[in-house]
Amino acid sequence: MSSEELITQDDVTIRFAGDSGDGMQLTGTQFTATTAKVGNDLATFPDFPAEIRAPAGTRAGVSGFQIHFSSHDIYTPGDDPNVLVAMNPAALITNYKDLRPGGIILVNTGAFTEADLKKAELDSNPLTDGTLSGFRVVEEDINQRTMEALADTELSKKDKLRCKNFYTLGMIYWLYSRPLEPTLEWLQEKFKNKPELAEANAKVLKAGYNHGELLRLFQGHYEVPKVHDAPAGTYRNIMGNQGLAIGLVAGARLAGLKPFLGSYPITPATDILQHMSLLKNYDVITCQMEDEIAGICTAIGASFAGRLGMTTTSGPGLALKTEAAGLAVITELPLVIVDVQRGGPSTGLPTKVEQSDLLQAMFGRNGDAAVPIVACASPSDAFDCAVEACRIATQYMTPVILLSDNYIANGAEPWKLPDMDALKPFPVEFVTDPEGFTPYRRDEKLARNWAKPGTPGLEHRIGGLEKDAVTGNVSYDPENHQKMTEIRRAKVLGVRESIPTPEVHGAESGDLLVVAWGSTMGATRAAVERLQKDGVAAGHLHLRHIWPLPKGLPEIFARFKKIVVPEMNTGQLALLLQSEYPEFRFLKFDKVMGKPFRARELKAHFEEILEEKS
Amino acid sequence: MSSEELITQDDVTIRFAGDSGDGMQLTGTQFTATTAKVGNDLATFPDFPAEIRAPAGTRAGVSGFQIHFSSHDIYTPGDDPNVLVAMNPAALITNYKDLRPGGIILVNTGAFTEADLKKAELDSNPLTDGTLSGFRVVEEDINQRTMEALADTELSKKDKLRCKNFYTLGMIYWLYSRPLEPTLEWLQEKFKNKPELAEANAKVLKAGYNHGELLRLFQGHYEVPKVHDAPAGTYRNIMGNQGLAIGLVAGARLAGLKPFLGSYPITPATDILQHMSLLKNYDVITCQMEDEIAGICTAIGASFAGRLGMTTTSGPGLALKTEAAGLAVITELPLVIVDVQRGGPSTGLPTKVEQSDLLQAMFGRNGDAAVPIVACASPSDAFDCAVEACRIATQYMTPVILLSDNYIANGAEPWKLPDMDALKPFPVEFVTDPEGFTPYRRDEKLARNWAKPGTPGLEHRIGGLEKDAVTGNVSYDPENHQKMTEIRRAKVLGVRESIPTPEVHGAESGDLLVVAWGSTMGATRAAVERLQKDGVAAGHLHLRHIWPLPKGLPEIFARFKKIVVPEMNTGQLALLLQSEYPEFRFLKFDKVMGKPFRARELKAHFEEILEEKS
Amino acid sequence: MSVVQQLKAKDFKSDQEVRWCPGCGDYSILSGVQKTMADMGIPRENYVVVSGIGCSSRFPYYMETYGMHGIHGRANAIATGVKVANPDLSVWVITGDGDGLSIGGNHMIHSLRRNVDMKIILFNNEIYGLTKGQYSPTTPEGTKTKTSPYGSLDHPFNPIQLALGAGATFVARTMDVNPKHMKQVLQAAAEHKGAAFVEVWQNCVIFNDGAYKSWTEKAVRDEKTINLVPGEKMIFGKDRDKGLSTDGCRITVCSAEEASVWDPTVDSAGPAFMMTQLDNEPDMPRPMGVLRSVDRPTLDQQVWDQVGAVTGKKGEGTLKDLIYTPDCWVVE
Amino acid sequence: MSVVQQLKAKDFKSDQEVRWCPGCGDYSILSGVQKTMADMGIPRENYVVVSGIGCSSRFPYYMETYGMHGIHGRANAIATGVKVANPDLSVWVITGDGDGLSIGGNHMIHSLRRNVDMKIILFNNEIYGLTKGQYSPTTPEGTKTKTSPYGSLDHPFNPIQLALGAGATFVARTMDVNPKHMKQVLQAAAEHKGAAFVEVWQNCVIFNDGAYKSWTEKAVRDEKTINLVPGEKMIFGKDRDKGLSTDGCRITVCSAEEASVWDPTVDSAGPAFMMTQLDNEPDMPRPMGVLRSVDRPTLDQQVWDQVGAVTGKKGEGTLKDLIYTPDCWVVE
Ligand SMILES: Cc1ncc(C[n+]2csc(CCOP(=O)(O)OP(=O)(O)O)c2C)c(N)n1
Ligand SMILES: Cc1ncc(C[n+]2csc(CCOP(=O)(O)OP(=O)(O)O)c2C)c(N)n1
Ligand code: SF4
Ligand code: SF4
Ligand SMILES: [Mg+2]
Ligand SMILES: [Mg+2]
């Protein structure tokens, strides 16, 4: 191997940034796959423009992919990168500020012509005007190097140039001592039918790697040893939407049902539909409907027919589904509604992250129409949460809203696969005996019994009008409505009996409790751990169940002097907690920038809170 | 006049009940109109079945109309009637329990055959089986009397029988010493083209009146003197939906705009659309669209074009409008969204009252998308609230949600018309000067300026994507999104500066503060006044503005030992108040029976609260 | 599975009291559907009746089958879910001109193009009944209703044209006051494999009484409508003496002998569309009966075929396969 | 009001950078619309361009007119509000096959039947572009897309048929790669008083490249499409030697001399509907150009006429009239 100095690092963050056409997402994904195989823990964060192809070279067209990998457990894709790859001026100028002081910047000088600078709205060249002082800049004409590497290849110039991201990848592989094999294998498979492309990319990858080694561009290189104390088990690299897709299918299976997904594409939820449409051999039916309303309505129809109905969407789509969600509430049919949140209001920032649909999920239906809400925290948590949503939906005969967000959806991390034995089934029992059957007969959990069309003797009608608690016929009786309203409410609150009190991570009591939900989990945990290292008695409470809230929370809250709720919205969980537990004070800490919290900014804010007189 | 004893009463409640086909709504409306003219204060409550024509004679087919009238100020349609008119067994059996002990029941024995009793699911005749002991039952074969009165008339038997409600009305007019003239005039006008019907009904009306007088059926009769201390002014009898319709038109005028209503029929909001479609000569445009979404979207389009867009609906329709409401939030266009609430969830109890859309109105939109919310309390308050909604919408460039409910919609009361001088205009100034124009330029209230298509030089684009705070172009900039989110929030909260702190009615401080909103106002006020008479230091705070909440509330809350929030939902305002003012405890008192609170049940509950140890 | 017995119409009556206005056209459609279902040889438990909201949409409560009274305009979407989830069920949609063509218009046209195998019975009374008399998308222009006190301005849909334009495989029309004709048409719809769209002219006695009188009254019916029977000559008139001939792209009245033969099974929906033009010609009879009936794979069938094909190729996936994919690795 | 000047296409270019993929068919439609608008003699400030969501729906940002980038599927409804509120404006709707026919299908058909005077340009690329490649309601059956990895199963709409079925008064078709033809069609649409529906075949280079190649490529275009010109014979072919004749309700290929004359202004939409049948016949040219163009009062016009008529009859109502009605009484 190399004669360069090999420095061991514990924890590294790299950001790849380039034009949308530069293939940065692919580069990032390959680096991720290889890093997972090497045995590091990791977390990723892709960040791409809303346009399919924003004008080449512009700031709006910059596409980024960040990966944080480490030889210990990590929770976030990293605060400030150690390395920035900038494939053009726009990528450089929009990203260099995030780099940590002294960080490495690999610049593709092949894309720094006058015209390139102009497209990036730059008056002077940041490579020469002092902008980058304080960083270790490595300049390389990657375009040129790629062309050279492919000099004797029969490809068009355009096709050759498109290989340049593999040159970059090769250089970074060298810098972080990653093996080339996984990517080489992937190329073989990917371009099975176009061997010339497989070969060209492989050539370029190796050229980049060798270039790093030969030219000593980086004055040293690094290794990040694999996680030594990683729990034994089988791992898989997973993205959030993928985790949801297989979790939904698994959840239905555990309920003894076949899933039916009625959906309509919307960023960033579309992947779930896409992934599930591949799973036809798992008894999965997917219907891409004409709109979100039809999506949820087909799912309701499918549940009525005895499948487990599901629908996936993002905020604007959830808004459209609210009337039909109410129908599922009053007919008490199981249904899983997935909302992968994005920046709002309205179309808002469709490719950015936000957690601002929580109160819509809680209250966005006409009438008193509570539903259980589960929120996942990370790509690897998505599977479990999807199974949990299926459990609640089928065990309690209720629609459930499962909240994710754009950050989870597109982020990736290694997922320790569950033992098959640990996946406990919760089979649905359809009623088949006409004796004493009425549609609203309930079990001890208040769930009504479920009779499937096709079952002789159980013919019955349900619908959106209030129904008599006993006969199931339409009823306008005042007392009956009061009773049914209370039953529906009690049933949902009763889900509480089946969920554990969450554990506090960090200090069990003390100065500061940070309550977080959804994807703020990672950054919060990291920030709290750092506070603890500084000697602060801080704890982190993550809420997977938003509604009903688990039991035991007041006891936890009481053990801390201050409670803060960081959220990527204007304080929605805080509002809910404040109304539920008025005896405590919940401080808000909001960020609505379309970007996840950084552990560092959280820590800084927590320190401020701690200093304030209460 | 009569030789009977004339007893003066201060306060009377009458309930007319009969089959849907018996014309009870019309009877009630006529009694109301006459009573208004006589100068009583009054409040009414119609209660009819969901079916257009439920099967004749059944309990489900009973249609009721209650009127409370008085020689002093009243707030509700009355708790327990003094008089019940029962046109058939089903009407009798479903209503007699509400009557106060010793109350009068006028029964139409002509509809008490075996078959009639069976249709009402009665095994024995309540007139003879002791059911009605304790009441003063007046039996009369109204069918027969009506036929006799019309013996020499050329109508079919069916047509004759249809006049029987006027016989009933005549009897009750006599009982409460009302003049016949207003109804006689109304009949002339109504049946202009069918004089034979006008004459027949007039005949029957007089026959009923004379019958009451001649036969001394009631052992006395009553008068309810007109309100002596009624404020001088011009009055008009008004129903809630009518008040909203003219309030919306007036509000637009005061803003210097022409109204545009885009709507879709839904009970109990349809009347507003119907009423406004009559007002074409007031520059009103109404479009009945294909659904609720198109309704709000046309209104948004109309606002963009420079009219004042409005849309009217009930809960399920509001659910459908939420996505588009978000578009109005982010484009900052004025828009009034009226939700006349009914029983939920889903289709629920479409013809009954509930207040359960409050949190949907607050939070039922994707993203952080706050809007101001105004709620009206009674038919006569509807006009003012509609004007207020138009004021906020146009002064702050924002959608406003105006909440009413089924009880207000169909109830009627005398409305003291505003002095024309008191209606202060709040004219919109469209921007016309291209100098320095950008679409998101704001005034001191943070309202953006409004440029109307057709204005040269101000061509601009708005839309659902986040916009740059300065240029108005699409912006994905993180800081800009934070800034715009905060501006939108601050703008809505800023409405607070333009609304007065509501006054406490009753005790200014003391043992119990009752906080109410919407149509619970009347019953709450009555209950609190009764408590006060009993010497309790109780106050009533009515909230017209639900969001933002007015200033000065904590100061008020602090003056009372206990605070209770009665609501026709499972505690929605209480939740909101609890999260906003955690330093106080808000007790809930919920009722979801599709019926308004009675002052009596509120008082009883308040007394319980007062007795409880705190 | 129960043995298929010969069912009677009354076997399809639920215990709920029917609550339409006396004289409403809905009653005869209810009995028409009950009779048709009884004759199909399908066990009662395999019927699912789905509706939206409206007077007509109360229908499922009166049927002793599985049923769902949905939300306004969404019956077609709910029914699509039922049918695709379980193609063994016989799925019927009951909807109104408001429910199915106003708020539900989109689901209507999409379920027709997708050819989901379900029977869609549209009760067209040219009015919103349940909300007490507002104009609907089929109300003729100029009609005074509660929301059009000065006359409605919206040009109405022709439901048959809309269905044809959406690519429906079966389109038919019948009327409440002709039970025999209705039974024929409903049966043809029931037998069609695919989405069957049936417009039923239905009288609303309360808010739009007599809307179809000039075509459906016994005295004029034979002259003012023509029953299109597949494979038969197009003949009408009290004495069945008149015919229609489709000569050179124009439809003209001729003698019974000269009448052309009606064929709703041709590839092109063009001839059926031409036929609907008669609705606009006051002197011509309005077409009733089966206007279109062609075969095309149904969505539900295709979905299940695809699941079968993929499963056949890839093998049935186990829960373990789902989670433990080839790209995972082991940490010891 | 500014004096109407002779505007140029470039006067309609906003300062925003156009952000479609290089090679996207949207560019040529943008320039076609800009040219057409410039030639209409309408002041720039009187144009309003409304869109939904999709690649195509970014359109308003690139136009130096008033504009609203709405929400998905609702452009027609928003535009209806704009036009009815102010009929002096020239209102254009820009939509896609997903935006206008999937989620927005209902508003589309209703605005067509109502004949709201607006120009509706449907960018049909047979794919969802913005969400990166899922099948749309116009994607041919069997197409593999991201959500149909084993082939799509939904039978597509024919947008022209749907518009005709909805009762549209103007229906036309053109293609991105023939700017001259596009300009003619857009101009005809702009000149039509009423709802003008224009389907534009648009190539999505990224997710559905070449969808229309076999009809639109220069080499085959003249053979595989036919431009229907009102009042002219239906002639096609490279050498303009072939014609279509509508003989006895069937459309056949004939010599140019024998070709029938195309008339999109006839009462019945039947002939236009028949013509769309050619889309299903591989050996026939697909019809382009103006398929239907008839006069019918527009909704916006009628609304204003009615307001005028009622006001004329009742007199203009004052605020006082509104509140102080004859049934009020005075308490002294
Ligand atoms: C979301 C929603 N919008 C509106 C309504 C009110 N609504 C109920 S039925 C109906 C129209 C019914 O008309 P149609 O479908 O023709 O049925 P009909 O009563 O005439 O049989 C309307 C507007 C509703 N229930 N839900
Ligand atoms: C309510 C809602 N649902 C879904 C989406 C996601 N979405 C945006 S554009 C689009 C489809 C675009 O397809 P098309 O109209 O054909 O436009 P194109 O991009 O092909 O021009 C979808 C599904 C959305 N923005 N809003
Ligand atoms: S209102 Fe009309 S449609 Fe409804 S039940 Fe009565 S008659 Fe039938
Ligand atoms: S994705 Fe397709 S439709 Fe969208 S801009 Fe690119 S080429 Fe055009
Ligand atoms: Mg109807
Ligand atoms: Mg498209």
Side-chain angles (χ1 to χ4, degrees), chain D residues 7-255:
Chain D
L7 294 161
K8 299 257 162 53
K10 74 167 169 32
D11 294 321
F12 287 87
K13 291 202 166 91
S14 80
D15 62 353
Q16 293 298 291
E17 215 167 341
V18 184
R19 294 203 173 160
W20 291 307
C21 308
C24 176
D26 291 0
Y27 287 95
S28 81
I29 312 178
L30 177 61
S31 104
V33 169
Q34 287 168 335
K35 279 190 209 126
T36 306
M37 284 191 178
D39 287 354
M40 292 300 298
I42 297 174
R44 195 171 60 176
E45 65 270 17
N46 281 5
Y47 282 105
V48 179
V49 183
V50 180
S51 68
I53 302 284
C55 292
S56 32
S57 289
R58 288 302 184 89
F59 199 98
Y61 293 124
Y62 309 141
M63 296 291 298
E64 191 54 27
T65 62
Y66 286 89
M68 166 112 74
H69 181 215
I71 44 177
H72 196 34
R74 317 302 172 189
N76 293 54
I78 297 170
T80 297
V82 173
K83 182 69 189 180
V84 173
N86 184 356
D88 291 341
L89 302 171
S90 173
V91 178
W92 293 59
V93 168
I94 303 293
T95 184
D97 44 322
D99 191 64
L101 296 180
S102 192
I103 189 169
N106 207 29
H107 310 305
M108 179 63 77
I109 57 179
H110 282 270
S111 53
L112 293 176
R113 81 171 165 92
R114 291 195 185 105
N115 200 30
V116 184
D117 183 17
M118 57 197 193
K119 315 305 144 207
I120 304 162
I121 318 297
L122 185 117
F123 292 34
N124 186 2
N125 54 12
E126 301 187 344
I127 199 82
Y128 292 167
L130 190 69
T131 48
K132 308 198 172 170
Q134 300 79 26
Y135 63 101
S136 89
T138 56
T139 306
E141 245 175 289
T143 308
K144 290 187 181 168
T145 71
K146 289 217 188 110
T147 46
S148 58
Y150 308 113
S152 65
L153 304 175
D154 288 14
H155 182 82
F157 280 135
N158 180 318
I160 302 291
Q161 287 185 356
L162 186 67
L164 292 171
T169 56
F170 182 98
V171 180
R173 178 147 78 185
T174 184
M175 57 177 83
D176 52 2
V177 289
N178 189 342
K180 219 177 103 198
H181 187 261
M182 196 195 317
K183 175 79 201 309
Q184 280 166 11
V185 166
L186 290 177
Q187 187 152 335
E191 285 163 1
H192 176 71
K193 181 103 192 106
F197 177 87
V198 180
E199 178 194 4
V200 188
W201 286 351
Q202 174 244 324
N203 192 40
C204 168
V205 286
I206 305 294
F207 298 112
N208 203 17
D209 198 22
Y212 297 105
K213 213 171 54 181
S214 34
W215 296 273
T216 61
E217 260 190 348
K218 274 261 169 61
V220 299
R221 189 189 295 167
D222 292 334
E223 302 293 330
K224 302 295 283 181
T225 66
I226 177 165
N227 185 25
L228 301 177
V229 185
E232 287 187 15
K233 282 192 168 191
M234 299 186 280
I235 295 178
F236 71 109
K238 229 188 183 82
D239 308 317
R240 298 193 55 74
D241 55 341
K242 279 173 267 186
L244 290 183
S245 109
T246 52
D247 168 34
C249 240
R250 279 183 51 245
I251 304 167
T252 49
V253 175
C254 58
S255 72

Side-chain angles (χ1 to χ4, degrees), chain B residues 91-143:
Chain B
L92 178 64
I93 204 70
T94 52
N95 284 288
Y96 80 94
K97 283 186 193 148
D98 292 340
L99 205 64
R100 71 181 65 178
I104 297 173
I105 306 183
L106 170 58
V107 177
N108 173 19
T109 56
F112 271 71
T113 65
E114 270 307 308
D116 293 321
L117 293 170
K118 212 179 135 203
K119 277 190 237 156
E121 299 164 50
L122 285 169
D123 296 328
S124 67
N125 188 338
L127 297 179
T128 54
D129 66 4
T131 304
L132 304 181
S133 66
F135 298 114
R136 282 159 60 197
V137 181
V138 177
E139 300 188 10
E140 187 57 68
D141 188 338
I142 296 176
N143 293 11

Side-chain angles (χ1 to χ4, degrees), chain B residues 52, chain C residues 20-21 24 55 125 202 204-207:
Chain B
I52 301 300
Chain C
W20 290 307
C21 307
C24 175
C55 291
N125 55 12
Q202 175 245 323
C204 169
V205 286
I206 305 295
F207 299 113

